[in-house]
Each structure stands twice: as structure tokens, then as C-alpha cells.
Amino acid sequence: MHELINQLKSKQLIWQGSHSQASTECLSTGFRSLDDRIGGGFPTSGVIEIKTTHGIGELRLLWPHIKRHSSGRSIVLIQPPGKLCAESLYSDGINLANVLLVYPKCAKDALWAAEQCLKSGACSHVLLWQDKLDVHHAKRLQVASEQRNCLHFLFKAKNHYTFSLPVSLSMTLLPHLNGLEVAITKRRGGWPQSRFIIPMNTFTMPLRSPTLSTHLRKLG
């Protein structure tokens, strides 16, 4: 059994826990109700898994944090669904000059792009839309994120079945009349949390637009 475990570890197919206490350093999400349930805010690095239906306000949940803590570095969005509205990003206070859209040809290229961006040191946040992710892929992204202090958001379809990944934080989002219904399903150094509502009534601009502004840099 010991030999089998060592073989799985060498192939990065299992995640080995640590007895050391996880880092408590974090930065506010911009939503007090969310901060209170995840220990004060998002971690300064690591992978945050977000299971959600697209277009329900999932990006609006992140913009306050990203705007405040990007420090002039690039914000990279890799294979986002649909078309983003530049006017909406601008109204949320996002500097469009720092936003880079990347559309790889396949899922493998998307994972490679995400890892390179995390390692580059030029990015503050990397957002990736990818439903299928193995444990060793998640571990590589986690390590790359921690190396250069770059936070990684991983978006997955809410109804896509998968096993638990070695991530710093996992959230499930559902649409709600007043905003978003959130469930914290996994948190490093903490316990899962019951569902709660984050009001989003102050946001009125659309998330999507039929056209994509040329102010957003696009790579394909």
C-alpha cells in the first residue's frame, strides 16, 4: 500500500495534506457578508473554484476585489463564455488597458496559458473557464499561483460533476432575486458554510453585449 501511495504522489494524482496551519493572509472581497464567511476575504494567492451558471453576476462578485488589488498588473480572462461588455467593466472601475482576453484553441492550451500567466509575475488575477480539470492540473495551478502571488479564479458549470479538487476555496453560486445565493463548499483552514445571499442591487449595467469593444485586448 505504501508503494502504491508513493507512485500516486509521484504522478501528482493525490493531494497530501499538511499539519501546518494554512496562511491567514487575505484581502477583502468588497462584500462584507462574503468576507465574514471566508475568514476576512480572498487569499492573496491560490485557486478559487467557482461553480456557477454563466451570466448570473459571477463576474460582478469579483470586480470590487480585483479593482482594489490589481496594483496595475494584468487581469487575464481565458476562454470566457459569450462576449464581455467593455462599458460594463469600465462602469465597475476596471482599467480596460489592463484586461487581456485569451481564447486558446483547446482545453490543453487553456491550462497551459493559465499556468504561464500565473508564473509570469505580470498578472494580479487570472480567470479561467474550464469544466474538466484533473487533480494534478489543479495542483500545478495552485503552485504556480503561490509562486508569484497571483490569484486564480476557476469557473466551472454548476451541474458538472467532478471530484473534490485541491483548491484554496470553492464556492457555488445561484441566481437570487436580490443578487446571488452563495454556498461555501470548501475552504482551506475552515469549514463549509451554509447558503447566504449577497445583495447585488447596486449593479445595474448589463454583463454582456452583442459587440466587444476594441478597448479589450484579445488573443486567440
Side-chain angles (χ1 to χ4, degrees):
M1 178 62 71
H2 182 69
E3 182 180 354
L4 175 60
I5 292 175
N6 286 335
Q7 291 177 356
L8 293 173
K9 285 168 60 178
S10 67
K11 296 179 181 179
Q12 296 185 334
L13 293 178
I14 61 174
W15 175 263
Q16 183 175 13
S18 173
H19 293 291
S20 61
Q21 186 174 1
S23 173
T24 57
E25 186 179 3
C26 58
L27 298 170
S28 175
T29 66
F31 297 92
R32 185 171 181 177
S33 57
L34 180 56
D35 288 348
D36 290 344
R37 287 167 173 80
I38 59 174
F42 289 139
T44 56
S45 62
V47 177
I48 297 179
E49 179 184 52
I50 301 179
K51 299 178 181 180
T52 179
T53 301
H54 301 314
I56 65 171
E58 66 277 13
L59 288 178
R60 285 276 163 73
L61 183 66
L62 306 183
W63 291 144
H65 169 84
I66 291 176
K67 177 178 67 174
R68 184 177 300 179
H69 303 297
S70 60
S71 302
R73 294 190 291 169
S74 294
I75 304 162
V76 183
L77 293 82
I78 302 175
Q79 58 185 17
K83 295 183 178 180
L84 300 182
C85 177
E87 292 81 4
S88 178
L89 298 184
Y90 182 79
S91 71
D92 287 337
I94 304 299
N95 185 350
L96 300 182
N98 295 335
V99 178
L100 176 63
L101 306 181
V102 181
Y103 293 94
K105 295 180 180 179
C106 62
K108 181 179 179 180
D109 289 348
L111 287 171
W112 179 88
E115 186 174 358
Q116 300 310 306
C117 288
L118 291 169
K119 289 180 176 180
S120 70
C123 306
S124 63
H125 299 82
V126 175
L127 287 65
L128 169 66
W129 282 258
Q130 182 87 290
D131 284 336
K132 296 181 180 180
L133 200 73
D134 293 331
V135 170
H136 69 282
H137 291 142
K139 186 175 181 181
R140 287 178 65 95
L141 294 173
Q142 183 84 18
V143 171
S145 171
E146 294 171 350
Q147 285 178 344
R148 302 307 295 266
N149 202 37
C150 178
L151 189 56
H152 181 46
F153 292 101
L154 171 65
F155 293 91
K156 302 174 66 177
K158 182 177 65 66
N159 58 353
H160 185 80
Y161 174 78
T162 185
F163 42 80
S164 178
L165 294 175
V167 297
S168 301
L169 177 68
S170 182
M171 304 188 297
T172 298
L173 307 182
L174 292 169
H176 189 273
L177 182 62
N178 296 322
L180 290 174
E181 182 177 336
V182 183
I184 308 300
T185 55
K186 182 177 183 179
R187 180 166 71 91
R188 179 182 287 185
W191 298 98
Q193 298 287 325
S194 58
R195 296 182 184 274
F196 61 99
I197 306 301
I198 298 181
M200 307 283 283
N201 298 333
T202 56
F203 298 108
T204 56
M205 292 290 288
L207 281 175
R208 298 182 182 182
S209 172
T211 60
L212 181 64
S213 171
T214 55
H215 290 290
L216 297 177
R217 293 178 293 158
K218 177 180 177 182
L219 296 179

